[in-house]
Short mmCIF file of all heavy atoms in Angstrom, two decimals:
data_model
loop_
_atom_site.label_atom_id
_atom_site.label_comp_id
_atom_site.label_asym_id
_atom_site.label_seq_id
_atom_site.Cartn_x
_atom_site.Cartn_y
_atom_site.Cartn_z
N MET C 1 147.61 -62.35 171.98
CA MET C 1 146.44 -62.86 172.66
C MET C 1 146.87 -63.37 174.04
O MET C 1 147.84 -64.08 174.19
CB MET C 1 145.82 -63.99 171.84
CG MET C 1 144.62 -64.62 172.51
SD MET C 1 144.16 -66.15 171.71
CE MET C 1 142.69 -65.70 170.91
N SER C 2 146.12 -63.00 175.08
CA SER C 2 146.47 -63.42 176.43
C SER C 2 145.91 -64.81 176.71
O SER C 2 144.93 -65.25 176.11
CB SER C 2 145.96 -62.42 177.45
OG SER C 2 144.56 -62.37 177.41
N GLU C 3 146.57 -65.46 177.65
CA GLU C 3 146.16 -66.80 178.06
C GLU C 3 144.83 -66.72 178.80
O GLU C 3 144.58 -65.76 179.53
CB GLU C 3 147.24 -67.38 178.97
CG GLU C 3 146.93 -68.75 179.51
CD GLU C 3 148.02 -69.20 180.48
OE1 GLU C 3 149.10 -68.59 180.48
OE2 GLU C 3 147.79 -70.15 181.23
N ASN C 4 144.00 -67.72 178.67
CA ASN C 4 142.74 -67.79 179.39
C ASN C 4 143.02 -68.19 180.84
O ASN C 4 143.61 -69.23 181.09
CB ASN C 4 141.82 -68.80 178.73
CG ASN C 4 140.43 -68.78 179.28
OD1 ASN C 4 140.01 -67.78 179.87
ND2 ASN C 4 139.71 -69.86 179.11
N ILE C 5 142.63 -67.33 181.80
CA ILE C 5 142.83 -67.59 183.22
C ILE C 5 141.62 -68.34 183.76
O ILE C 5 140.48 -67.96 183.50
CB ILE C 5 143.01 -66.26 184.00
CG1 ILE C 5 144.11 -65.41 183.39
CG2 ILE C 5 143.26 -66.55 185.49
CD1 ILE C 5 145.46 -66.05 183.38
N LYS C 6 141.88 -69.36 184.56
CA LYS C 6 140.80 -70.14 185.16
C LYS C 6 140.81 -69.91 186.66
O LYS C 6 141.85 -69.98 187.30
CB LYS C 6 141.00 -71.63 184.87
CG LYS C 6 139.93 -72.53 185.44
CD LYS C 6 140.22 -73.97 185.07
CE LYS C 6 139.24 -74.92 185.73
NZ LYS C 6 139.57 -76.32 185.42
N MET C 7 139.63 -69.61 187.25
CA MET C 7 139.47 -69.46 188.69
C MET C 7 138.44 -70.49 189.14
O MET C 7 137.30 -70.47 188.69
CB MET C 7 139.02 -68.04 189.04
CG MET C 7 140.03 -67.00 188.63
SD MET C 7 139.49 -65.32 189.00
CE MET C 7 139.74 -65.31 190.78
N GLN C 8 138.89 -71.37 190.03
CA GLN C 8 138.01 -72.45 190.50
C GLN C 8 137.78 -72.30 192.00
O GLN C 8 138.73 -72.32 192.79
CB GLN C 8 138.66 -73.81 190.22
CG GLN C 8 137.84 -74.98 190.70
CD GLN C 8 138.54 -76.32 190.46
OE1 GLN C 8 139.73 -76.36 190.18
NE2 GLN C 8 137.79 -77.38 190.59
N VAL C 9 136.53 -72.15 192.39
CA VAL C 9 136.17 -72.06 193.80
C VAL C 9 136.18 -73.47 194.39
O VAL C 9 135.46 -74.35 193.92
CB VAL C 9 134.78 -71.41 193.98
CG1 VAL C 9 134.37 -71.39 195.43
CG2 VAL C 9 134.79 -70.01 193.40
N LYS C 10 137.03 -73.69 195.38
CA LYS C 10 137.14 -75.01 196.00
C LYS C 10 136.11 -75.11 197.13
O LYS C 10 135.85 -74.14 197.85
CB LYS C 10 138.55 -75.22 196.55
CG LYS C 10 139.66 -75.00 195.53
CD LYS C 10 139.62 -76.01 194.41
CE LYS C 10 140.22 -77.30 194.88
NZ LYS C 10 140.38 -78.27 193.77
N ALA C 11 135.55 -76.27 197.30
CA ALA C 11 134.56 -76.49 198.36
C ALA C 11 135.20 -76.21 199.73
O ALA C 11 136.24 -76.78 200.06
CB ALA C 11 134.06 -77.92 198.30
N ASN C 12 134.61 -75.30 200.48
CA ASN C 12 135.08 -74.96 201.83
C ASN C 12 136.57 -74.63 201.86
O ASN C 12 137.28 -74.98 202.81
CB ASN C 12 134.78 -76.08 202.82
CG ASN C 12 133.31 -76.32 202.95
OD1 ASN C 12 132.51 -75.38 202.94
ND2 ASN C 12 132.91 -77.57 203.07
N GLY C 13 137.05 -73.95 200.82
CA GLY C 13 138.47 -73.61 200.75
C GLY C 13 138.74 -72.40 199.88
O GLY C 13 137.93 -71.48 199.79
N SER C 14 139.87 -72.45 199.22
CA SER C 14 140.40 -71.30 198.49
C SER C 14 139.78 -71.15 197.10
O SER C 14 138.91 -71.93 196.70
CB SER C 14 141.91 -71.48 198.34
OG SER C 14 142.16 -72.62 197.54
N ILE C 15 140.28 -70.14 196.39
CA ILE C 15 139.97 -69.97 194.98
C ILE C 15 141.26 -70.27 194.22
O ILE C 15 142.25 -69.55 194.35
CB ILE C 15 139.51 -68.53 194.67
CG1 ILE C 15 138.24 -68.22 195.45
CG2 ILE C 15 139.30 -68.36 193.17
CD1 ILE C 15 137.81 -66.77 195.38
N LYS C 16 141.26 -71.37 193.49
CA LYS C 16 142.45 -71.81 192.75
C LYS C 16 142.51 -71.07 191.42
O LYS C 16 141.54 -71.09 190.65
CB LYS C 16 142.39 -73.31 192.52
CG LYS C 16 143.59 -73.85 191.77
CD LYS C 16 143.45 -75.35 191.60
CE LYS C 16 144.63 -75.90 190.80
NZ LYS C 16 144.46 -77.34 190.55
N VAL C 17 143.65 -70.41 191.17
CA VAL C 17 143.85 -69.65 189.93
C VAL C 17 144.86 -70.39 189.08
O VAL C 17 145.97 -70.68 189.53
CB VAL C 17 144.33 -68.22 190.23
CG1 VAL C 17 144.52 -67.44 188.94
CG2 VAL C 17 143.36 -67.50 191.17
N THR C 18 144.49 -70.69 187.85
CA THR C 18 145.38 -71.37 186.92
C THR C 18 145.68 -70.43 185.76
O THR C 18 144.77 -69.97 185.09
CB THR C 18 144.73 -72.67 186.40
OG1 THR C 18 144.37 -73.48 187.52
CG2 THR C 18 145.68 -73.43 185.51
N GLY C 19 146.97 -70.14 185.57
CA GLY C 19 147.40 -69.21 184.54
C GLY C 19 148.23 -68.11 185.16
O GLY C 19 148.44 -68.08 186.37
N ALA C 20 148.74 -67.21 184.34
CA ALA C 20 149.59 -66.11 184.81
C ALA C 20 148.76 -64.86 185.07
O ALA C 20 147.94 -64.48 184.23
CB ALA C 20 150.68 -65.81 183.80
N VAL C 21 148.97 -64.24 186.25
CA VAL C 21 148.22 -63.05 186.65
C VAL C 21 149.20 -61.98 187.12
O VAL C 21 150.10 -62.25 187.91
CB VAL C 21 147.24 -63.38 187.81
CG1 VAL C 21 146.52 -62.12 188.29
CG2 VAL C 21 146.23 -64.43 187.36
N ASP C 22 149.03 -60.74 186.62
CA ASP C 22 149.81 -59.61 187.11
C ASP C 22 149.15 -59.04 188.35
O ASP C 22 147.94 -58.77 188.35
CB ASP C 22 149.88 -58.50 186.05
CG ASP C 22 150.67 -58.89 184.83
OD1 ASP C 22 151.55 -59.77 184.94
OD2 ASP C 22 150.41 -58.31 183.75
N PHE C 23 149.93 -58.84 189.43
CA PHE C 23 149.45 -58.16 190.63
C PHE C 23 149.91 -56.72 190.51
O PHE C 23 151.11 -56.46 190.32
CB PHE C 23 150.04 -58.79 191.89
CG PHE C 23 149.37 -60.10 192.26
CD1 PHE C 23 149.54 -61.24 191.50
CD2 PHE C 23 148.57 -60.17 193.39
CE1 PHE C 23 148.92 -62.43 191.84
CE2 PHE C 23 147.96 -61.36 193.75
CZ PHE C 23 148.13 -62.49 192.97
N VAL C 24 148.97 -55.77 190.62
CA VAL C 24 149.29 -54.36 190.44
C VAL C 24 148.97 -53.57 191.71
O VAL C 24 148.07 -53.94 192.48
CB VAL C 24 148.53 -53.76 189.24
CG1 VAL C 24 148.92 -54.46 187.96
CG2 VAL C 24 147.03 -53.83 189.44
N ASP C 25 149.72 -52.48 191.94
CA ASP C 25 149.47 -51.64 193.10
C ASP C 25 148.37 -50.61 192.78
O ASP C 25 147.76 -50.66 191.70
CB ASP C 25 150.76 -50.98 193.59
CG ASP C 25 151.37 -50.02 192.57
OD1 ASP C 25 150.68 -49.62 191.61
OD2 ASP C 25 152.55 -49.67 192.76
N ALA C 26 148.13 -49.69 193.72
CA ALA C 26 147.04 -48.72 193.57
C ALA C 26 147.23 -47.81 192.36
O ALA C 26 146.26 -47.26 191.83
CB ALA C 26 146.92 -47.89 194.83
N GLU C 27 148.47 -47.65 191.90
CA GLU C 27 148.75 -46.80 190.74
C GLU C 27 148.74 -47.60 189.43
O GLU C 27 149.01 -47.04 188.36
CB GLU C 27 150.09 -46.10 190.91
CG GLU C 27 150.07 -44.94 191.91
CD GLU C 27 150.00 -45.43 193.36
OE1 GLU C 27 150.74 -46.37 193.70
OE2 GLU C 27 149.19 -44.88 194.12
N GLY C 28 148.52 -48.89 189.52
CA GLY C 28 148.48 -49.72 188.33
C GLY C 28 149.83 -50.30 187.93
O GLY C 28 149.94 -50.93 186.88
N LYS C 29 150.86 -50.10 188.76
CA LYS C 29 152.19 -50.64 188.47
C LYS C 29 152.23 -52.13 188.82
O LYS C 29 151.80 -52.53 189.90
CB LYS C 29 153.24 -49.89 189.30
CG LYS C 29 154.65 -50.41 189.11
CD LYS C 29 155.61 -49.67 190.04
CE LYS C 29 156.96 -50.36 190.05
NZ LYS C 29 157.83 -49.86 191.11
N ILE C 30 152.76 -52.94 187.91
CA ILE C 30 152.87 -54.37 188.16
C ILE C 30 153.90 -54.61 189.26
O ILE C 30 155.05 -54.20 189.15
CB ILE C 30 153.26 -55.14 186.88
CG1 ILE C 30 152.15 -55.01 185.83
CG2 ILE C 30 153.51 -56.62 187.21
CD1 ILE C 30 152.51 -55.62 184.48
N VAL C 31 153.45 -55.24 190.36
CA VAL C 31 154.33 -55.56 191.49
C VAL C 31 155.00 -56.91 191.28
O VAL C 31 156.19 -57.08 191.52
CB VAL C 31 153.53 -55.55 192.82
CG1 VAL C 31 154.40 -55.96 193.98
CG2 VAL C 31 152.90 -54.18 193.04
N THR C 32 154.21 -57.86 190.82
CA THR C 32 154.72 -59.20 190.54
C THR C 32 153.74 -59.92 189.64
O THR C 32 152.60 -59.51 189.48
CB THR C 32 154.95 -60.00 191.85
OG1 THR C 32 155.63 -61.21 191.56
CG2 THR C 32 153.64 -60.31 192.55
N THR C 33 154.22 -60.98 189.04
CA THR C 33 153.37 -61.85 188.22
C THR C 33 153.47 -63.25 188.81
O THR C 33 154.56 -63.73 189.09
CB THR C 33 153.83 -61.85 186.76
OG1 THR C 33 153.77 -60.51 186.25
CG2 THR C 33 152.96 -62.75 185.91
N LYS C 34 152.32 -63.85 189.04
CA LYS C 34 152.30 -65.20 189.62
C LYS C 34 151.50 -66.13 188.71
O LYS C 34 150.58 -65.70 188.02
CB LYS C 34 151.66 -65.18 191.01
CG LYS C 34 152.49 -64.45 192.06
CD LYS C 34 151.88 -64.64 193.44
CE LYS C 34 152.71 -63.95 194.49
NZ LYS C 34 154.03 -64.56 194.70
N GLU C 35 151.88 -67.40 188.76
CA GLU C 35 151.15 -68.43 188.01
C GLU C 35 150.69 -69.52 188.96
O GLU C 35 151.42 -69.92 189.87
CB GLU C 35 152.07 -69.08 186.96
CG GLU C 35 152.44 -68.17 185.83
CD GLU C 35 153.27 -68.90 184.77
OE1 GLU C 35 152.93 -70.06 184.44
OE2 GLU C 35 154.23 -68.30 184.30
N ASN C 36 149.50 -70.00 188.74
CA ASN C 36 149.00 -71.20 189.43
C ASN C 36 149.13 -71.08 190.96
O ASN C 36 150.05 -71.60 191.56
CB ASN C 36 149.72 -72.45 188.92
CG ASN C 36 149.66 -72.55 187.42
OD1 ASN C 36 148.68 -72.13 186.80
ND2 ASN C 36 150.69 -73.08 186.82
N PHE C 37 148.20 -70.37 191.56
CA PHE C 37 148.21 -70.13 193.00
C PHE C 37 146.77 -70.19 193.51
O PHE C 37 145.83 -70.31 192.72
CB PHE C 37 148.83 -68.76 193.31
CG PHE C 37 148.19 -67.63 192.57
CD1 PHE C 37 147.13 -66.93 193.12
CD2 PHE C 37 148.62 -67.29 191.29
CE1 PHE C 37 146.52 -65.90 192.43
CE2 PHE C 37 148.01 -66.25 190.59
CZ PHE C 37 146.97 -65.56 191.16
N SER C 38 146.62 -70.08 194.83
CA SER C 38 145.29 -70.11 195.45
C SER C 38 145.09 -68.87 196.31
O SER C 38 145.97 -68.51 197.10
CB SER C 38 145.13 -71.37 196.30
OG SER C 38 145.13 -72.52 195.49
N LEU C 39 143.96 -68.24 196.14
CA LEU C 39 143.59 -67.05 196.91
C LEU C 39 142.75 -67.46 198.12
O LEU C 39 141.89 -68.34 198.03
CB LEU C 39 142.78 -66.08 196.05
CG LEU C 39 143.52 -65.45 194.89
CD1 LEU C 39 142.53 -64.69 193.99
CD2 LEU C 39 144.60 -64.50 195.39
N CYS C 40 142.99 -66.79 199.25
CA CYS C 40 142.23 -67.04 200.46
C CYS C 40 140.85 -66.39 200.35
O CYS C 40 140.71 -65.26 199.91
CB CYS C 40 142.96 -66.45 201.67
SG CYS C 40 142.04 -66.58 203.21
N ARG C 41 139.84 -67.13 200.76
CA ARG C 41 138.50 -66.53 200.86
C ARG C 41 137.89 -66.76 202.23
O ARG C 41 136.73 -66.44 202.48
CB ARG C 41 137.56 -67.01 199.76
CG ARG C 41 137.16 -68.45 199.85
CD ARG C 41 136.18 -68.77 198.74
NE ARG C 41 135.87 -70.18 198.76
CZ ARG C 41 134.66 -70.67 198.64
NH1 ARG C 41 133.64 -69.89 198.44
NH2 ARG C 41 134.48 -71.97 198.68
N CYS C 42 138.70 -67.33 203.16
CA CYS C 42 138.17 -67.60 204.49
C CYS C 42 138.54 -66.48 205.49
O CYS C 42 137.92 -66.36 206.53
CB CYS C 42 138.69 -68.93 205.02
SG CYS C 42 140.41 -68.91 205.55
N GLY C 43 139.61 -65.72 205.18
CA GLY C 43 140.04 -64.64 206.05
C GLY C 43 141.05 -65.06 207.11
O GLY C 43 141.51 -64.23 207.88
N HIS C 44 141.44 -66.33 207.15
CA HIS C 44 142.33 -66.82 208.19
C HIS C 44 143.80 -66.93 207.77
O HIS C 44 144.66 -67.15 208.61
CB HIS C 44 141.86 -68.19 208.70
CG HIS C 44 140.55 -68.13 209.43
ND1 HIS C 44 140.44 -67.72 210.73
CD2 HIS C 44 139.29 -68.41 209.01
CE1 HIS C 44 139.17 -67.75 211.10
NE2 HIS C 44 138.45 -68.17 210.07
N SER C 45 144.10 -66.77 206.50
CA SER C 45 145.47 -66.93 206.02
C SER C 45 146.39 -65.86 206.61
O SER C 45 146.01 -64.70 206.73
CB SER C 45 145.51 -66.85 204.49
OG SER C 45 146.86 -66.88 204.04
N LYS C 46 147.61 -66.26 206.94
CA LYS C 46 148.64 -65.31 207.39
C LYS C 46 149.44 -64.82 206.19
O LYS C 46 150.38 -64.03 206.35
CB LYS C 46 149.53 -65.97 208.44
CG LYS C 46 148.80 -66.28 209.73
CD LYS C 46 149.66 -67.08 210.69
CE LYS C 46 148.90 -67.41 211.97
NZ LYS C 46 147.69 -68.20 211.75
N GLU C 47 149.10 -65.30 204.99
CA GLU C 47 149.82 -64.94 203.76
C GLU C 47 148.89 -64.25 202.77
O GLU C 47 149.08 -64.37 201.56
CB GLU C 47 150.40 -66.21 203.12
CG GLU C 47 151.26 -67.06 204.03
CD GLU C 47 152.58 -66.42 204.37
OE1 GLU C 47 153.08 -65.61 203.57
OE2 GLU C 47 153.11 -66.72 205.45
N LYS C 48 147.86 -63.54 203.25
CA LYS C 48 146.88 -62.92 202.36
C LYS C 48 147.58 -62.07 201.30
O LYS C 48 148.55 -61.39 201.63
CB LYS C 48 145.90 -62.05 203.15
CG LYS C 48 145.00 -62.83 204.06
CD LYS C 48 144.06 -61.87 204.78
CE LYS C 48 143.37 -62.53 205.93
NZ LYS C 48 144.14 -62.59 207.16
N PRO C 49 147.13 -62.09 200.09
CA PRO C 49 145.86 -62.68 199.65
C PRO C 49 145.94 -64.16 199.32
O PRO C 49 144.98 -64.72 198.82
CB PRO C 49 145.53 -61.85 198.41
CG PRO C 49 146.86 -61.56 197.80
CD PRO C 49 147.79 -61.35 198.99
N MET C 50 147.10 -64.79 199.57
CA MET C 50 147.25 -66.20 199.22
C MET C 50 146.70 -67.11 200.32
O MET C 50 146.75 -66.78 201.50
CB MET C 50 148.73 -66.54 199.00
CG MET C 50 149.41 -65.71 197.95
SD MET C 50 148.55 -65.80 196.37
CE MET C 50 149.35 -64.48 195.50
N CYS C 51 146.22 -68.26 199.92
CA CYS C 51 145.80 -69.30 200.86
C CYS C 51 147.04 -69.97 201.43
O CYS C 51 147.96 -70.31 200.70
CB CYS C 51 144.94 -70.32 200.10
SG CYS C 51 144.57 -71.81 201.04
N ASP C 52 147.07 -70.16 202.75
CA ASP C 52 148.17 -70.90 203.37
C ASP C 52 147.68 -72.19 204.03
O ASP C 52 148.40 -72.82 204.79
CB ASP C 52 148.91 -70.03 204.38
CG ASP C 52 148.07 -69.69 205.61
OD1 ASP C 52 146.89 -70.09 205.67
OD2 ASP C 52 148.60 -69.01 206.52
N GLY C 53 146.45 -72.58 203.74
CA GLY C 53 145.89 -73.82 204.28
C GLY C 53 145.19 -73.64 205.62
O GLY C 53 144.64 -74.61 206.16
N SER C 54 145.19 -72.42 206.16
CA SER C 54 144.59 -72.18 207.47
C SER C 54 143.09 -72.45 207.50
O SER C 54 142.52 -72.66 208.57
CB SER C 54 144.84 -70.73 207.91
OG SER C 54 146.21 -70.50 208.12
N HIS C 55 142.44 -72.45 206.34
CA HIS C 55 140.99 -72.70 206.31
C HIS C 55 140.65 -74.07 206.89
O HIS C 55 139.59 -74.25 207.46
CB HIS C 55 140.45 -72.57 204.87
CG HIS C 55 141.06 -73.50 203.89
ND1 HIS C 55 142.20 -73.20 203.17
CD2 HIS C 55 140.71 -74.75 203.53
CE1 HIS C 55 142.51 -74.21 202.39
NE2 HIS C 55 141.62 -75.17 202.59
N ARG C 56 141.58 -75.02 206.75
CA ARG C 56 141.32 -76.38 207.28
C ARG C 56 141.24 -76.35 208.81
O ARG C 56 140.30 -76.87 209.39
CB ARG C 56 142.41 -77.34 206.81
CG ARG C 56 142.35 -77.62 205.35
CD ARG C 56 143.39 -78.68 204.95
NE ARG C 56 143.78 -78.47 203.57
CZ ARG C 56 144.90 -77.85 203.18
NH1 ARG C 56 145.76 -77.45 204.05
NH2 ARG C 56 145.15 -77.68 201.91
N ASP C 57 142.23 -75.73 209.45
CA ASP C 57 142.25 -75.66 210.91
C ASP C 57 141.10 -74.81 211.44
O ASP C 57 140.60 -75.05 212.54
CB ASP C 57 143.57 -75.08 211.41
CG ASP C 57 144.74 -76.03 211.18
OD1 ASP C 57 144.48 -77.25 211.03
OD2 ASP C 57 145.88 -75.55 211.13
N ALA C 58 140.69 -73.80 210.66
CA ALA C 58 139.62 -72.90 211.08
C ALA C 58 138.24 -73.52 210.90
O ALA C 58 137.25 -73.00 211.38
CB ALA C 58 139.71 -71.59 210.30
N GLY C 59 138.18 -74.64 210.17
CA GLY C 59 136.89 -75.27 209.92
C GLY C 59 136.00 -74.42 209.02
O GLY C 59 134.77 -74.43 209.16
N PHE C 60 136.62 -73.71 208.07
CA PHE C 60 135.87 -72.83 207.17
C PHE C 60 134.80 -73.60 206.39
O PHE C 60 135.08 -74.64 205.80
CB PHE C 60 136.84 -72.15 206.20
CG PHE C 60 136.18 -71.29 205.17
CD1 PHE C 60 135.49 -70.15 205.52
CD2 PHE C 60 136.28 -71.62 203.82
CE1 PHE C 60 134.90 -69.34 204.56
CE2 PHE C 60 135.70 -70.81 202.85
CZ PHE C 60 135.01 -69.68 203.22
N GLU C 61 133.60 -73.07 206.42
CA GLU C 61 132.50 -73.63 205.64
C GLU C 61 131.93 -72.52 204.79
O GLU C 61 131.41 -71.53 205.31
CB GLU C 61 131.42 -74.21 206.55
CG GLU C 61 131.88 -75.44 207.31
CD GLU C 61 130.77 -76.07 208.11
OE1 GLU C 61 129.58 -75.84 207.80
OE2 GLU C 61 131.08 -76.81 209.07
N ALA C 62 132.04 -72.68 203.49
CA ALA C 62 131.56 -71.67 202.55
C ALA C 62 130.11 -71.93 202.17
O ALA C 62 129.71 -73.09 202.08
CB ALA C 62 132.42 -71.67 201.30
N PRO C 63 129.36 -70.85 201.94
CA PRO C 63 127.99 -71.06 201.45
C PRO C 63 128.04 -71.63 200.03
O PRO C 63 129.00 -71.41 199.30
CB PRO C 63 127.40 -69.65 201.47
CG PRO C 63 128.57 -68.73 201.46
CD PRO C 63 129.70 -69.45 202.11
N ALA C 64 127.02 -72.36 199.68
CA ALA C 64 126.95 -72.93 198.32
C ALA C 64 126.86 -71.81 197.31
O ALA C 64 126.29 -70.76 197.58
CB ALA C 64 125.74 -73.84 198.21
N LEU C 65 127.45 -72.03 196.14
CA LEU C 65 127.39 -71.02 195.07
C LEU C 65 126.05 -71.07 194.38
O LEU C 65 125.41 -72.03 194.29
CB LEU C 65 128.50 -71.26 194.05
CG LEU C 65 129.91 -71.01 194.55
CD1 LEU C 65 130.90 -71.28 193.42
CD2 LEU C 65 130.08 -69.58 195.02
S1 FES F 1 141.04 -70.15 202.00
FE1 FES F 1 142.83 -71.17 202.59
S2 FES F 1 143.62 -70.00 204.21
FE2 FES F 1 141.81 -68.96 203.62
#
């Protein structure tokens, strides 16, 4: 049984992922597995797809869910 992955949308920020996730390439090959990280949703990160905190300096404001 796989672990339950949690994705939490942060107010005016990233999407926090809690749990282990396999990152796969276009052919479905696992490139890496990461645990407990944040995905960028503002488009300003220099470490995409990960959040690097740039949303704060960019003044990112997300629409309400
Ligand atoms: S959400 Fe943090 S850098 Fe984009």
Side-chain angles (χ1 to χ4, degrees):
M1 178 193 252
S2 63
E3 178 184 345
N4 189 21
I5 306 300
K6 180 179 175 183
M7 298 179 75
Q8 179 183 14
V9 176
K10 306 295 281 188
N12 298 323
S14 64
I15 299 171
K16 180 179 178 184
V17 180
T18 304
V21 176
D22 293 334
F23 284 69
V24 298
D25 63 16
E27 285 74 44
K29 178 183 169 192
I30 296 174
V31 176
T32 189
T33 300
K34 292 188 178 292
E35 291 184 42
N36 307 327
F37 54 92
S38 293
L39 294 171
C40 175
R41 69 177 175 136
C42 75
H44 293 281
S45 175
K46 293 173 181 60
E47 306 290 333
K48 292 181 194 82
M50 303 304 168
C51 170
D52 68 357
S54 295
H55 59 271
R56 290 185 208 100
D57 290 338
F60 176 65
E61 292 185 21
L65 292 180

